[in-house]
Amino acid sequence: MQAYLPEISLIALAVAVVIGIVRNVNVGPLSMAIALVIGYYIGGVKIKDLIAGYPTNVFLMLAGITYMFAIANINGTLAKLTAFAVKGVKGNVALLPIVLFLVAFFLSSLGPGAIVICAMMAAPCMLLASRAKIPAFLMAVMVANGTQAGNMSPIAVAGVIVKGLMQKMNLPDWTFILWMNSLVYFFVIGICAYFLFGGLKLWKRRGPEDAFVMEKADTEPFNRQQYLTLGAIAVMVIGVIFFKVDIGFFGFLLGTLLILFKAADEEKVFKAMPCGAIMMVTGVTVLISLMSKIGGMALFASLMAAQSTPYTVTLVAGFWSGLDSAYASTIGVILPAFVPMAPELLVKIGAPASDLLALLSSIILCGHVTDVSPLSTLGAIFIANAAEDQDKKKLFKHMLIWGLAMTPIGAVVCWFLFTVLGIP
């Protein structure tokens, strides 16, 4: 049976994903259980070698950054930043989806990531869409894509995960470039959505009722707790960009200081941390690490290489990343599985190592772009928070079509940006 370990491990990863979807269980612990069975009981891999595959650096980075931003969410700092941005459009309803895209990008870039910001912004944004007569689908797509645009920030959850993976692969720190690629990619997609789904019609409207809706935004001044939190966020950004501080430990330092200065209730902060998501990402990485040792990832790369050429690899890898992401977690499955496989894929098709950044960009962005589907977390959040007068069935249909269409369209956009145009 050991001769078939690569095939068994690849099938096991697929089984873990399917079970996670069908039974709605966390794929992280499930992956570690499968790694134990395949690696230790079948493959004879030592327990210490399985433990060595656990990404301690990723765990510390995710725990530290989510600890600090749970404080920012609990004490209302992030919500107030959104309210001030909404107030700033001064009754121009046509600007509202664009402004909220930028707000979502900014807040997601600060660290919480797409899921947290969508969960925070979905209800008020969908209510604003209802009151201002903005199409619900347009608002959902713009805000969701805004959060995705910021998801690869060096201090955001997905950016932290990819940085940890690249460190383990001894690659250069490309997180800033990936973040900028993400902004360009999702801005292009967001602008297309704006023009296609009703944004232009909003420019023909501007009345007293629109100004009234905007004035309803809560813009009370920041309180002491929120000023402290804003200061901590600024220190975090400066530390990461200019002084290359360790994100995880620095997040714990700043978070602890905020707790000591009573910026939030520590018990509520720990409850708000996405422990399940952290467990999911790190647990899947254990199985991926095992697959790398026993040949499973090499087999995966070979299957994809058979469909690719150096000129089309970003298209093919982007397509499969997007298709798998429509049904599986991007941060929990797609990133840990596809990112480590990328260098070997280039070797197998004879592409130069200089193409790696373009390939990684395509894998990461195509994995994220389908998350607006209602079958994924982001889409489901907006469906759940639709206002009473917004047709949830119609919204579900439109978001499902969008999510599935983004699999081929997102791959083509990546191929055009990173292969044809050669954007870094």
Side-chain angles (χ1 to χ4, degrees), residues 236-252:
M236 168 64 81
V237 172
I238 293 170
V240 169
I241 294 176
F242 296 104
F243 298 99
K244 308 297 181 184
V245 299
D246 183 90
I247 296 172
F249 279 107
F250 205 55
F252 280 123

Side-chain angles (χ1 to χ4, degrees), residues 8 15 17-18 33 62 71 88-89 101 104 116 123 128 130 175 179 202 207 226 308 315 335 344 360:
I8 293 172
V15 169
V17 173
V18 171
L62 288 176
I71 296 172
V89 302
F101 174 96
V116 172
L128 276 171
S130 172
T175 47
W179 180 31
L202 297 177
Q226 292 161 349
S308 308
L315 179 67
L335 297 184
E344 190 161 0
L360 289 176

Side-chain angles (χ1 to χ4, degrees), residues 7-266:
E7 290 82 359
I8 293 172
S9 66
L10 193 56
I11 294 170
L13 177 62
V15 169
V17 173
V18 171
I19 292 176
I21 295 170
V22 174
R23 296 296 302 275
N24 195 29
V25 298
N26 191 313
V27 74
L30 178 61
S31 295
M32 288 197 288
I34 292 174
L36 176 68
V37 173
I38 294 175
Y40 180 71
Y41 291 110
I42 298 177
V45 177
K46 295 179 180 179
I47 294 294
K48 68 176 183 179
D49 291 329
L50 291 178
I51 295 174
Y54 188 84
T56 307
N57 61 329
V58 175
F59 172 81
L60 289 173
M61 285 191 287
L62 288 176
I65 199 69
T66 56
Y67 176 64
M68 193 184 86
F69 281 100
I71 296 172
N73 198 23
I74 289 293
N75 66 22
T77 301
L78 299 180
K80 192 151 290 184
L81 285 171
T82 305
F84 272 97
V86 170
K87 188 77 172 181
V89 302
K90 298 179 180 179
N92 193 332
V93 172
L95 285 176
L96 191 55
I98 298 173
V99 168
L100 289 174
F101 174 96
L102 296 174
V103 170
F105 162 73
F106 175 72
L107 294 179
S108 180
S109 297
L110 286 178
I115 294 176
V116 172
I117 298 304
C118 277
M120 182 192 75
M121 293 182 66
C125 287
M126 295 304 279
L127 183 59
L128 276 171
S130 172
R131 290 177 176 176
K133 307 301 180 187
I134 296 172
F137 175 62
L138 172 62
M139 180 64 84
V141 168
M142 290 297 288
V143 175
N145 277 302
T147 64
Q148 298 285 56
N151 223 15
M152 284 308 300
S153 157
I155 60 173
V157 173
V160 168
I161 291 169
V162 172
K163 182 175 182 177
L165 292 171
M166 289 192 299
Q167 285 177 347
K168 197 170 183 180
M169 297 159 64
N170 296 316
L171 295 177
D173 186 357
W174 287 327
T175 47
F176 183 80
I177 299 174
L178 290 171
W179 180 31
M180 291 299 98
N181 284 351
S182 180
L183 173 58
V184 170
Y185 180 74
F186 283 102
F187 183 77
V188 169
I189 290 175
I191 289 299
C192 290
Y194 183 83
F195 284 108
L196 287 173
F197 303 118
L200 287 178
K201 293 180 181 178
L202 297 177
W203 287 96
K204 300 177 182 179
R205 293 172 38 202
R206 187 178 174 91
E209 69 279 4
D210 294 336
F212 175 76
V213 169
M214 298 304 106
E215 289 170 4
K216 288 295 183 180
D218 175 19
T219 51
E220 293 181 4
F222 289 100
N223 59 32
R224 172 184 168 277
Q225 294 176 322
Q226 292 161 349
Y227 275 122
L228 286 171
T229 306
L230 287 173
I233 293 173
V235 171
M236 168 64 81
V237 172
I238 293 170
V240 169
I241 294 176
F242 296 104
F243 298 99
K244 308 297 181 184
V245 299
D246 183 90
I247 296 172
F249 279 107
F250 205 55
F252 280 123
L253 171 62
L254 295 174
T256 300
L257 290 174
L258 288 174
I259 292 297
L260 291 175
F261 282 100
K262 298 182 179 180
D265 185 324
E266 186 178 40

